[in-house]
Amino acid sequence: MSVKAFELVPAVERDLLMGDKARINIECIECCGKHLYVGTNDCFIHHFLLVEITSSKGKASFSAQKLLHKYLGLKKPVIELRAASALERLIVLCEGIVFLVDMVTLETVPSAAGGGAKIRGVAAFCINENPINGDPFCVEIGVLSTKRRTVQIYRVYEDRVQLVRELTTPEQPCAVSLDGYFLCLALTTQYIILNYNTGASQDLFPYNSEERRPIVKRIGKEEFLLAAPGGLGMFASAEGVSQRAPVNWSESVIGAAVCFPYVVALDECFITVHSMLDQQLKQTLSFRDGHILQDFEGKVILASTKAVYVLVPLPLERQIQDLLTNHRVEEALILTEGAQRNIPKDKFQNLHKRILQQAGFIQFSQLQFLEAKEHFRRGQLDVRELISLYPLLLPASSSFTRCHPPLHEFADLNHLAQGDQEKVLRCKKFLISYLGEVNKLTLICTDRCSSLTCCVSHLHTQVRSTEVVNGCREDVDTALLKLFAEQDHESLLDLLASDNSCVLTDSIPWLEKYHKYFALGLLYHYNGQDSAALQLWIQVVDGDLQDSTRSDLYEYIVDFLCSSSNLDIVWKYADWALRKDPNIGVHIFTKRPASKGQLDLNPDDVITYLGKHNQALLLYLEHLVLDRKIQKEKFHTNLAVLYLERVMSLLSESRRDEKQLTTAREKLQALLRESSLYRVQFILGKLENCEQLLLERATLHGKLEEHDKALHILVHNLRDFPSAEAFCLWASSGRDSAYQQELFHLLLGEYLDGSPGKAQTATAGVGSGELEMAAVDLLNRHGEVFDAVRVLRMLPEGWSLQLLRPFLGRAVRASMHACRTSKIALGLARSENLQLLHDRLKECKKPIFVSEKKGCHLCHNTFSEPSVVCLPGGVPVHTHCVAQRVRDSPTKRQLTNSSNHT
């Protein structure tokens, strides 16, 4: 498919060039700025001023004004013209002679004294456009000899030429191009690269110059374009390698030029334009009788034998837009990226982004979503451009307006899909996928989730923090919310539970439309409207509104109130939660987290509030007493009363639930045993006439240190001997062994003697034999606690010692163990004392060394006699110094010398 890259515009018409002279033909052309020079077959040079004119519609044309023409005085055609603007000279090749002509007057430049301005025997020459010589007033040229297999390098000055280097070639050269030190030569049968500085050569590929005209064209630094066999245009670097793929042009190409990024070729009938970027044919122009094609400073000029034309390149932006209009996305992008070096950096970046965005929308319309996504990402598309295609997704308050000129031709998604709902769904799926890619997250879709919802998981906080949505979070988040609600996806909750910028007024009707009341409550909460959120959720729990998002919404409300820092909200809605389920509702108060930023509830206020919710009050008091371990008499007493009332309530029921009753009594008994803060007498008063709670009464008597009453109840009323033993252990916990021994003796006495005044009742109910066995079991199990002598005095004389054998054995062992233990302790104490005495004796007998070189620690004078006093630590001092120190001491301390030896 063609692209209009150039327009063929006439520059110099036939009449202006030759008038009525029919036999005059154009042989060569040269252009320097606005100046055009034409060499003809009658040995004339024509000088034209070429002015480009651009119409209001952007169409280019040329106005040519003939300034001068000059006959060179020779008989043959002018073969070659080259301008050296720095020297104001034209380098002319005519009749095998290279000479200089003034660019203004077209007069031949005379030879300078001592030198010459002509080179003879020349077949062809070229100018080095990348000269190594740094002289700005010197032009370097490469010259091919007509008769010798040589290449000569000359330096051309204003009025003379100078031979620099001459190199021999293996074959007769017929075409040459020069860049730096590198000569690209077309020989008779091949192309070669020759370094005239080092003489090194590199063969390129074979070519028969007799079959077709060779082309050697410099296209850039150390890079050349060559006409190769098979109708190929080959690129070759100075190293002899090709860095670009060849272009496929005509077998009969007679000329080539480069206007980046295009290669223009001329054959007998056509002008072809190939891209250097992808090597594809882009344009073909019909042009007959053409025989010259050259580029001059980015301007492509060609000529027939009678007229001169200019190939005017269309602006790259127009070419790119034409490609996009024809949906040739890849070619447009290749052209854009290839034109980077010809466009200022800032302008290119903006152009490149826009082209990528346009390309993305074209591929989006063709459902090529992967490619579109990549172009949008690289083009940094404002996501609202894409969202705006989807009706009603942008909030009504959005200030977004589409890019102008527009990036696409669609009004909205319905216009694009033309009623195809499947296409609409696929486009929505692409929107989700694209937003996910913006945040560089990977979407994994299974066959089951190939529908629209398969990509919704990408929309939770994926693009809302990226540069693409910087400054437009409200628009993006609101669009995400609407899409999530429409698709009934769980990511809606993730969006609303996180930091978001959803527009409340725009989101409310959308969430209500799809019955997303829980999500709407979250949005209310995020916007600081907790009361509105709770009212909405309560309606859902009560069945007034339908929303199946959360089956545990009641528990969620309780947790919400539990963590709320607004106490007014807590007091307002806690009553509803407690009426709904007091066991869960009380969590509002019992599971409230303790934090510095959250106000704590006063337990007294909570207890007052829970006064009409007995079960909740009970649970809350358990929380205070058992979990938080608050040591406050009122809380412990209230909890005990509630436990007691619960037990009595269960006892009063005609059809008891024994399991509940057992659990309730265990809680009451545990509190009565473990707590020491409740009002014992108050609780005991409530149990005075309750014969069914004797175990609890016994515990209370134990709290009052009325152990005889407690044990009497346990032994004679309840006949619960294990509980009696457990009572003794409980009542004596944390006390000394004597206290525990006293309790066990008291229990043994109850077993042996019974309670005075109630012995007959006990005997009638239990039997003396049962009490005796209980006493024997007690002694045998806890023999180490009892005083054996005292027990033997208490036991009836008629008891068999065989019954007490375990007790007596344990008692004897315990007595022997105690005796031996005391002996061991005494021995250890004596040993320790002996060791201390030994250590003291060693210190006392330790020698003290005194000499005339040693000084007294008190007066610092040396010793003159062996009589000294030793201070603690073995420090010797004079006896008179110690005496003086004792006399001067306010306390008159007596210093005892533990070592009376010298």
Side-chain angles (χ1 to χ4, degrees):
M1 189 180 295
S2 63
V3 175
K4 190 173 183 180
F6 294 92
E7 287 184 340
L8 186 61
V9 180
V12 180
E13 299 289 349
R14 173 175 178 168
D15 294 341
L16 183 60
L17 179 63
M18 60 194 65
D20 56 355
K21 298 178 181 178
R23 296 183 179 180
I24 296 178
N25 295 328
I26 298 175
E27 295 292 336
C28 59
I29 57 176
E30 171 68 317
C31 185
C32 182
K34 295 181 180 181
H35 298 274
L36 177 66
Y37 299 90
V38 179
T40 59
N41 60 345
D42 59 352
C43 204
F44 271 83
I45 297 178
H46 300 262
H47 182 192
F48 297 91
L49 182 63
L50 201 60
V51 179
E52 184 176 359
I53 301 172
T54 304
S55 68
S56 58
K57 295 183 179 181
K59 193 171 183 66
S61 61
F62 288 90
S63 171
Q65 177 185 357
K66 191 169 185 178
L67 301 179
L68 188 64
H69 65 276
K70 182 70 175 179
Y71 175 59
L72 298 180
L74 301 174
K75 297 179 180 180
K76 294 185 178 181
V78 179
I79 303 302
E80 195 72 54
L81 288 175
R82 285 292 179 265
S85 57
L87 307 178
E88 294 188 353
R89 296 290 184 262
L90 284 177
I91 304 174
V92 182
L93 172 59
C94 183
E95 288 190 356
I97 304 172
V98 172
F99 55 93
L100 304 179
V101 173
D102 188 283
M103 289 180 67
V104 178
T105 64
L106 303 184
E107 294 289 342
T108 302
V109 176
S111 300
K118 293 183 180 182
I119 307 171
R120 300 184 182 275
V122 178
F125 75 93
C126 68
I127 291 180
N128 190 349
E129 297 180 20
N130 181 29
I132 302 302
N133 179 30
D135 188 351
F137 299 103
C138 172
V139 175
E140 192 172 85
I141 64 173
V143 175
L144 302 183
S145 175
T146 56
K147 298 179 180 180
R148 295 184 300 166
R149 296 178 181 179
T150 60
V151 181
Q152 298 172 322
I153 306 300
Y154 283 90
R155 289 178 183 168
V156 179
Y157 296 92
E158 185 177 357
D159 55 358
R160 62 188 175 90
V161 295
Q162 177 185 347
L163 178 63
V164 176
R165 188 70 57 88
E166 183 175 31
L167 299 97
T168 303
T169 59
E171 298 177 1
Q172 180 64 43
C174 52
V176 63
S177 185
L178 181 59
D179 182 88
Y181 286 124
F182 296 98
L183 288 156
C184 185
L185 297 170
L187 305 181
T188 306
T189 61
Q190 65 176 341
Y191 290 102
I192 67 169
I193 297 289
L194 183 61
N195 187 320
Y196 77 76
N197 184 47
T198 63
S201 65
Q202 174 70 50
D203 295 342
L204 297 179
F205 50 84
Y207 186 80
N208 192 341
S209 61
E210 295 180 357
E211 293 182 0
R212 59 186 59 86
R213 178 179 175 183
I215 296 175
V216 181
K217 176 71 180 177
R218 177 189 181 273
I219 64 171
K221 184 178 181 180
E222 298 183 1
E223 188 175 12
F224 305 93
L225 175 63
L226 312 173
L232 296 178
M234 295 290 293
F235 299 93
S237 68
E239 289 78 17
V241 297
S242 180
Q243 297 176 341
R244 308 176 194 266
V247 296
N248 191 6
W249 57 28
S250 169
E251 287 276 2
S252 57
V253 169
I254 58 178
V258 172
C259 182
F260 191 85
Y262 298 110
V263 174
V264 183
L266 174 67
D267 61 21
E268 296 174 352
C269 300
F270 298 99
I271 302 168
T272 58
V273 179
H274 290 78
S275 172
M276 296 173 65
L277 305 173
D278 60 8
Q279 291 73 46
Q280 300 298 312
L281 178 63
K282 300 299 181 182
Q283 186 179 6
T284 302
L285 298 170
S286 178
F287 189 76
R288 294 187 178 276
D289 299 327
H291 75 117
I292 298 174
L293 174 63
Q294 289 182 272
D295 57 89
F296 306 96
E297 300 173 354
K299 187 182 297 182
V300 181
I301 300 178
L302 68 157
S304 64
T305 57
K306 306 297 182 184
V308 180
Y309 300 84
V310 178
L311 274 178
V312 179
L314 272 65
L316 283 174
E317 294 183 35
R318 179 177 168 185
Q319 296 180 43
I320 294 167
Q321 290 301 327
D322 288 345
L323 288 170
L324 292 174
T325 301
N326 293 323
H327 292 182
R328 297 166 64 181
V329 173
E330 291 305 318
E331 292 181 60
L333 292 175
I334 290 173
L335 179 58
T336 303
E337 292 167 3
Q340 179 176 359
R341 73 181 192 181
N342 293 343
I343 303 175
K345 182 177 179 180
D346 293 341
K347 183 179 180 181
F348 172 77
Q349 289 178 347
N350 295 330
L351 174 65
H352 191 213
K353 288 179 183 179
R354 179 175 175 82
I355 299 304
L356 284 169
Q357 294 169 8
Q358 288 181 276
F361 277 109
I362 290 171
Q363 292 179 319
F364 171 73
S365 67
Q366 297 172 345
L367 305 186
Q368 297 175 0
F369 295 133
L370 291 177
E371 295 82 357
K373 184 188 302 182
E374 179 63 18
H375 293 327
F376 285 152
R377 184 189 64 80
R378 292 177 58 201
Q380 299 179 15
L381 177 72
D382 185 336
V383 291
R384 295 176 295 180
E385 285 284 355
L386 188 58
I387 296 173
S388 66
L389 279 176
Y390 298 75
L392 302 178
L393 281 190
L394 282 175
S397 59
S398 175
S399 60
F400 171 74
T401 56
R402 289 184 180 177
C403 179
H404 184 79
L407 298 173
H408 53 79
E409 57 187 9
F410 315 113
D412 55 26
L413 190 59
N414 296 324
H415 176 209
L416 184 149
Q418 295 294 313
D420 186 345
Q421 291 304 311
E422 178 63 24
K423 191 171 184 178
V424 170
L425 289 178
R426 292 184 65 186
C427 289
K428 286 185 177 180
K429 175 181 176 180
F430 166 74
L431 171 64
I432 300 169
S433 177
Y434 166 68
L435 293 178
E437 284 294 326
V438 171
N439 204 37
K440 300 185 183 300
L441 296 181
T442 305
L443 178 63
I444 303 175
C445 293
T446 63
D447 294 337
R448 183 178 64 82
C449 64
S450 59
S451 62
L452 170 61
T453 58
C454 74
C455 297
V456 178
S457 61
H458 275 274
L459 290 176
H460 177 223
T461 66
Q462 292 176 349
V463 301
R464 296 180 289 117
S465 62
T466 64
E467 294 181 1
V468 178
V469 296
N470 188 26
C472 58
R473 283 191 58 189
E474 288 186 357
D475 296 349
V476 174
D477 285 3
T478 305
L480 293 175
L481 178 143
K482 293 179 178 180
L483 192 55
F484 285 144
E486 180 183 343
Q487 297 308 309
D488 189 25
H489 197 274
E490 61 184 5
S491 294
L492 172 65
L493 305 183
D494 296 332
L495 170 68
L496 295 174
S498 63
D499 183 25
N500 68 83
S501 299
C502 298
V503 178
L504 181 63
T505 55
D506 209 71
S507 303
I508 291 174
W510 200 277
L511 294 172
E512 290 177 343
K513 175 182 176 181
Y514 293 101
H515 304 290
K516 299 297 179 184
Y517 299 108
F518 176 71
L520 180 55
L522 291 179
L523 187 59
Y524 277 133
H525 168 60
Y526 185 79
N527 286 273
Q529 301 182 26
D530 288 354
S531 183
L534 287 166
Q535 290 176 13
L536 199 63
W537 293 336
I538 288 173
Q539 291 182 66
V540 174
V541 174
D542 291 341
D544 299 332
L545 296 174
Q546 300 300 317
D547 182 2
S548 60
T549 301
R550 292 194 68 140
S551 59
D552 61 342
L553 183 56
Y554 170 73
E555 290 80 0
Y556 181 86
I557 294 174
V558 172
D559 291 340
F560 182 87
L561 290 172
C562 179
S563 59
S564 176
S565 60
N566 188 337
L567 298 186
D568 293 335
I569 292 289
V570 175
W571 296 123
K572 181 177 180 180
Y573 294 100
D575 185 66
W576 172 85
L578 292 167
R579 284 187 283 104
K580 199 75 176 176
D581 187 341
N583 293 321
I584 297 177
V586 75
H587 292 169
I588 297 171
F589 307 104
T590 61
K591 292 188 176 181
R592 189 170 180 82
S595 61
K596 294 182 179 179
Q598 182 167 304
L599 296 176
D600 200 4
L601 294 171
N602 188 329
D604 294 326
D605 295 339
V606 176
I607 291 173
T608 303
Y609 184 85
L610 296 176
K612 56 184 177 179
H613 302 284
N614 287 339
Q615 179 62 20
L617 178 59
L618 175 64
L619 295 172
Y620 183 68
L621 286 170
E622 285 183 340
H623 169 70
L624 295 178
V625 173
L626 304 180
D627 297 335
R628 294 179 58 182
K629 309 293 184 184
I630 294 180
Q631 303 298 307
K632 197 170 183 179
E633 176 270 327
K634 181 168 63 174
F635 297 159
H636 287 247
T637 302
N638 284 351
L639 181 58
V641 170
L642 289 176
Y643 277 159
L644 181 58
E645 290 176 351
R646 173 65 175 162
V647 171
M648 289 182 171
S649 174
L650 292 173
L651 289 172
S652 64
E653 293 179 357
S654 57
R655 300 180 62 181
R656 298 179 185 175
D657 186 331
E658 293 298 332
K659 186 177 181 179
Q660 287 188 8
L661 178 60
T662 301
T663 302
R665 290 193 67 185
E666 287 176 351
K667 286 185 176 182
L668 174 61
Q669 292 165 10
L671 178 66
L672 295 180
R673 286 194 304 270
E674 296 170 7
S675 175
S676 301
L677 296 176
Y678 59 89
R679 294 161 56 191
V680 180
Q681 291 287 6
F682 177 74
I683 302 299
L684 187 59
K686 288 182 174 289
L687 290 174
E688 196 64 38
N689 299 320
C690 185
E691 296 298 324
Q692 295 172 301
L693 300 177
L694 292 176
L695 184 60
E696 288 78 3
R697 286 174 57 190
T699 303
L700 292 170
H701 282 303
K703 284 288 184 179
L704 294 173
E705 300 282 337
E706 298 173 350
H707 300 306
D708 53 344
K709 294 182 180 180
L711 291 173
H712 182 84
I713 292 173
L714 294 171
V715 173
H716 300 290
N717 294 85
L718 291 177
R719 308 175 187 92
D720 190 348
F721 306 136
S723 294
E725 293 182 23
F727 174 85
C728 291
L729 294 173
W730 163 73
S732 63
S733 62
R735 311 292 288 269
D736 58 21
S737 59
Y739 190 88
Q740 186 182 47
Q741 187 180 84
E742 187 63 32
L743 279 178
F744 273 94
H745 278 283
L746 189 61
L747 176 58
L748 181 62
E750 288 290 337
Y751 286 154
L752 296 176
D753 302 329
S755 178
K758 297 183 179 180
Q760 293 181 356
T761 304
T763 304
V766 178
S768 59
E770 187 176 0
L771 289 174
E772 288 178 358
M773 291 306 300
V776 171
D777 291 341
L778 177 66
L779 289 172
N780 290 335
R781 278 196 297 271
H782 302 282
E784 70 281 357
V785 177
F786 290 92
D787 181 350
V789 176
R790 183 178 173 185
V791 169
L792 291 175
R793 290 172 180 170
M794 293 174 63
L795 292 177
E797 294 181 358
W799 277 28
S800 170
L801 292 178
Q802 187 66 28
L803 290 175
L804 300 174
R805 183 178 179 179
F807 163 69
L808 293 174
R810 295 177 68 179
V812 170
R813 284 196 300 271
S815 176
M816 292 178 65
H817 177 71
C819 179
R820 291 168 178 170
T821 302
S822 62
K823 288 181 178 179
I824 291 173
L826 179 60
L828 291 174
R830 288 175 175 174
S831 175
E832 184 180 7
N833 184 52
L834 184 61
Q835 183 65 40
L836 291 174
L837 290 175
H838 177 264
D839 292 343
R840 183 180 179 186
L841 183 60
K842 283 176 64 177
E843 290 295 327
C844 291
K845 298 302 180 180
K846 190 174 181 180
I848 304 298
F849 294 99
V850 180
S851 69
E852 294 180 353
K853 295 182 180 179
K854 269 195 173 184
C856 173
H857 187 70
L858 295 180
C859 69
H860 304 294
N861 294 323
T862 58
F863 293 102
S864 59
E865 57 184 13
S867 179
V868 296
V869 176
C870 188
L871 294 178
V875 179
V877 295
H878 292 123
T879 55
H880 59 272
C881 290
V882 173
Q884 182 65 33
R885 185 172 183 178
V886 171
R887 284 194 300 271
D888 295 341
S889 173
T891 59
K892 304 297 182 180
R893 292 180 303 167
Q894 297 298 321
L895 183 62
T896 302
N897 183 10
S898 61
S899 180
N900 294 321
H901 64 277
T902 60

